[in-house]
Amino acid sequence: MVHGGFPPGEQVPDEALLAGMAVGDEGAGIAFVRRYQHRVFGLALAILGDPGLAEDVAQETFVRAWRHASVFDARRGSAPTWLLAIARNLAIDCMRVRRALPRDPEDALWLERASLDRPPEETALGADTARRLGRALAAIPAEQRRAVLLAAVHGRSAREIAEIESIPLGTAKSRIRSGLARLRDAVSTEEVW
Amino acid sequence: MSWPGGDPCPADALAELALGTLAGEERSGVLAHVARCRTCQAELAQLAVVADDLLLLAPVAEAPLGFELRTVERLRAAERDGCSVDRGPGHPALPARRWRRGLVSLAAAVLLVLAGLGIGRLSASPGRTGRTPERPAVVLAPLSSGGHEVGHVRVVTAGVTWLEVTVGKGLGSGLVSCVARLRDGRVVQLGWFQVGPRGSSWSVRLDADAAQLASAQLLGPAGAVVATAQL
């Protein structure tokens, strides 16, 4: 049995949970795991494609978050992006250790589908940001979208993307730069409104 | 684009730096440029925010049954095994912490502020003003059927007590009743709910104290026990 925790449904801010974790409060740890387990597992599964490995990576992600909760700085980003970055890095490390083959670049397109199709409650955490970015992502050219997602989510370098896409290195670099810049511009424009 | 009096700004590499995919000498060179160029510093900061936020678009997938329990056990194991704990810059790593059953001062302070703002539901009732709010307690137990874990039961006490049943795909579908077996031998009927083919979640408020609960059981229409959680 697991004892301790915050009642389900309580909207205790992430920062409060991380503050609790930083000083060893089990309840805060449980609540944090409960809040983000599906997101972390989902990202790991999307990168690795193996449920067993994805669970291992997801669990290790929460162990890392527990250990380093005290150095989380809300001024440098939100808790979910911090946590998901840990998960992404662990998944990429796991993939490289296993010498996994690069995934089909079309697989990266799950991101746009997920962002546009999911019900609003699933994007409640970082919902506005996710929606704006999802719209911007859908609006940029497909080749730029693939390049950006392969780099941002799958950790692929420009050289690796060039090989995957069978394009010159310069073209891969250009697609990454143009895609990311357009996303930045689109999100900035929406923020004005 | 170039910064006044210097080398051209590395636009392509700046995006790769923001995405964390730049390595080796190229990375060192770009970092050296960024350290001197305010324009690139601003550009990098903006691109890095977008790069990080892209992860928010990742799909949400239902974690495997029992993931929460296994993860918490792993956190406990990390504690027992003496993992180092990062206390931030300038602080040496500490030995393993002990899980704390009571709210420690910092977390308590945060929650008290939240309660005072009406955000939380942890504040004392009007008749108990002046008392320290009690920490909500949660008991989480696996729900088993035929030796297999099919879900979990959570009992939460925070002023009132309620019981939440989560059933995964492994139990089958149909109408079930939920009963609580108390430590004094009594059996309390809690209610009925429908289990769908993809599982269900159901909750009920309890009159009994959580400490009185020995187990929760799901019964089929004929009264046979189909799943049990030992509390």
Side-chain angles (χ1 to χ4, degrees):
Chain A
M1 285 193 298
V2 179
H3 294 269
F6 296 83
E10 291 283 359
Q11 287 305 302
V12 179
D14 291 331
E15 291 76 12
L17 295 182
L18 286 164
M21 290 163 63
V23 291
D25 180 48
E26 178 178 359
I30 294 170
F32 196 71
V33 170
R34 190 172 299 148
R35 181 172 295 179
Y36 288 114
Q37 58 181 326
H38 304 303
R39 280 181 162 266
V40 170
F41 178 74
L43 176 61
L45 182 62
I47 294 174
L48 294 165
D50 179 320
L53 284 177
E55 172 164 356
D56 200 43
V57 163
Q59 288 184 1
E60 181 61 22
T61 299
F62 286 109
V63 171
R64 299 284 177 96
W66 170 261
R67 289 179 181 171
H68 302 296
S70 61
V71 296
F72 168 74
D73 185 350
R75 293 168 299 181
R76 299 175 62 185
S78 69
T81 55
W82 175 73
L83 185 69
L84 291 172
I86 295 173
R88 176 195 58 188
N89 293 340
L90 286 171
I92 290 170
D93 288 347
C94 179
M95 191 171 60
R96 292 193 188 284
V97 166
R98 290 170 58 88
R99 298 176 184 277
L101 293 172
R103 301 191 69 185
D104 186 321
E106 290 301 321
D107 285 357
L109 295 180
W110 51 255
L111 272 173
E112 67 180 278
R113 288 197 300 270
S115 64
L116 297 177
D117 296 345
R118 66 176 60 177
E121 61 271 20
E122 287 192 9
T123 56
L125 302 166
D128 288 343
T129 302
R131 270 194 285 272
R132 281 190 279 112
L133 204 49
R135 281 195 294 268
L137 196 61
I140 66 175
E143 64 273 16
Q144 292 180 8
R145 183 164 55 235
R146 281 198 300 273
V148 168
L149 294 180
L150 283 168
V153 180
H154 293 259
R156 297 295 176 183
S157 67
R159 188 171 301 281
E160 289 172 316
I161 292 171
E163 291 174 7
I164 293 169
E165 299 281 68
S166 301
I167 54 177
L169 176 60
T171 304
K173 283 178 169 289
S174 176
R175 287 180 183 179
I176 294 170
R177 175 180 57 79
S178 300
L180 194 60
R182 289 181 71 159
L183 290 179
R184 186 267 317 273
D185 294 344
V187 171
S188 303
T189 303
E190 281 205 20
E191 282 176 346
V192 172
W193 296 94
Chain B
M1 184 173 64
S2 66
W3 65 297
D7 47 321
C9 293
D12 286 350
L14 212 54
E16 294 169 60
L17 185 65
L19 289 162
T21 58
L22 206 59
E25 289 184 9
E26 191 176 10
R27 184 172 191 273
S28 302
V30 175
L31 284 173
H33 172 90
V34 170
R36 304 187 302 268
C37 177
R38 287 176 182 261
T39 303
C40 283
Q41 288 170 15
E43 175 86 355
L44 179 62
Q46 292 176 359
L47 293 176
V49 168
V50 175
D52 286 344
D53 285 346
L54 279 169
L55 295 176
L56 292 172
L57 299 181
V60 176
E62 189 170 348
L65 208 56
F67 175 87
E68 183 178 320
L69 282 172
R70 290 191 291 276
T71 303
V72 172
E73 283 305 312
R74 193 157 162 181
L75 295 182
R76 286 175 170 166
E79 289 292 309
R80 285 195 301 271
D81 295 344
C83 69
S84 64
V85 176
D86 194 342
R87 299 294 302 273
H91 294 83
L94 298 178
R97 297 164 298 197
R98 297 178 58 191
W99 289 89
R100 302 179 188 187
R101 295 295 171 93
L103 271 181
V104 293
S105 57
L106 178 58
V110 170
L111 291 172
L112 283 169
V113 170
L114 294 176
L117 293 172
I119 296 171
R121 286 185 284 171
L122 309 181
S123 57
S125 60
R128 298 164 60 194
T129 303
R131 284 187 56 183
T132 301
E134 294 176 1
R135 180 193 180 193
V138 176
V139 175
L140 182 64
L143 182 67
S144 300
S145 176
H148 300 287
E149 191 175 322
V150 294
H152 62 261
V153 170
R154 183 158 44 221
V155 180
V156 182
T157 303
V160 297
T161 300
W162 69 93
L163 179 144
E164 180 187 69
V165 181
T166 301
V167 181
K169 298 175 183 174
L171 193 61
S173 57
L175 190 65
V176 296
S177 68
C178 182
V179 299
R181 294 188 179 278
L182 307 184
R183 299 197 186 283
D184 62 8
R186 285 183 294 154
V187 178
V188 180
Q189 174 76 44
L190 299 178
W192 295 80
F193 67 100
Q194 186 76 32
V195 177
R198 299 179 62 187
S200 296
S201 185
W202 177 81
S203 61
V204 62
R205 180 171 172 169
L206 299 180
D207 292 328
D209 188 280
Q212 295 178 270
L213 295 173
S215 66
Q217 293 183 317
L218 300 185
L219 311 180
V225 176
V226 296
T228 301
Q230 298 295 336
L231 301 167

